[in-house]
Amino acid sequence: VTTSLQNIQWSTGERNTDEITITHGGVFIVSASTEPCRNSAQLYIEPCKLYVYLPNAITPTLNDGVNDVFCLPDLTANQMMREGYEIMIFDRWGMLVYRSEDPHFRWNGTIKGKIAANNTFTYVMNYKDLMGMKYVKKGWLSVL
């Protein structure tokens, strides 16, 4: 903010600074005053849509410690609300083979303790970003 007024206060709680760091979208209000003058302004920052990437293949049978599980990157999972989160993985006949309510889920391609190699699955993921916006992501996954 650029002002000749002295007492600056932001809706985020920062005081007496003409600059703040914004880490998420929303409405931010700044007020400034030097008695008897007072002024305020609003700043709207559009929220960024949460980009969600999930792989379409995992290779748990190689036993090489690489690409062994189906999961979200931690950075992405940390940008989701735990409340309302759900991922469901289905086999080709529509039977549910895995379900989790944790954005930090890790599925290793097993069904009843055995790796389901050379199979393709579909998934449906319901989630909310940190602003509470709801999303549904659908896709497929091959276990090799």
Side-chain angles (χ1 to χ4, degrees), residues 51-77:
Y51 176 74
V52 175
Y53 168 79
L54 281 164
N56 59 12
I58 60 172
T59 56
T61 57
L62 295 180
N63 293 321
D64 60 0
V66 178
N67 203 30
D68 290 340
V69 295
F70 181 63
C71 64
L72 287 166
D74 283 339
L75 183 62
T76 303

Side-chain angles (χ1 to χ4, degrees), residues 50-55 70-74 76-89 98-107 123-130 132-138:
L50 178 59
Y51 176 74
V52 175
Y53 168 79
L54 281 164
F70 181 63
C71 64
L72 287 166
D74 283 339
T76 303
N78 290 338
Q79 295 178 55
M80 294 180 175
M81 295 178 73
R82 191 173 179 107
E83 176 190 325
Y85 179 87
E86 178 183 46
I87 187 160
M88 296 172 289
I89 300 174
Y98 179 83
R99 181 180 177 276
S100 179
E101 294 181 357
D102 183 357
H104 294 277
F105 75 94
R106 297 174 65 80
W107 185 55
Y123 66 85
V124 177
M125 183 172 62
N126 299 295
Y127 64 98
K128 294 179 192 176
D129 63 17
L130 294 177
M133 294 291 296
K134 293 180 180 181
Y135 299 93
V136 176
K137 183 171 179 66
K138 299 177 182 181

Side-chain angles (χ1 to χ4, degrees), residues 10-14 20-29 43-50 78-79 129-133:
W10 294 87
S11 57
T12 56
E14 284 95 336
I20 63 170
T21 300
I22 296 172
T23 59
H24 61 278
V27 176
F28 301 88
I29 301 169
L43 174 65
Y44 175 72
I45 303 294
E46 179 133 359
C48 293
K49 184 176 178 183
L50 178 59
N78 290 338
Q79 295 178 55
D129 63 17
L130 294 177
M131 298 295 289
M133 294 291 296

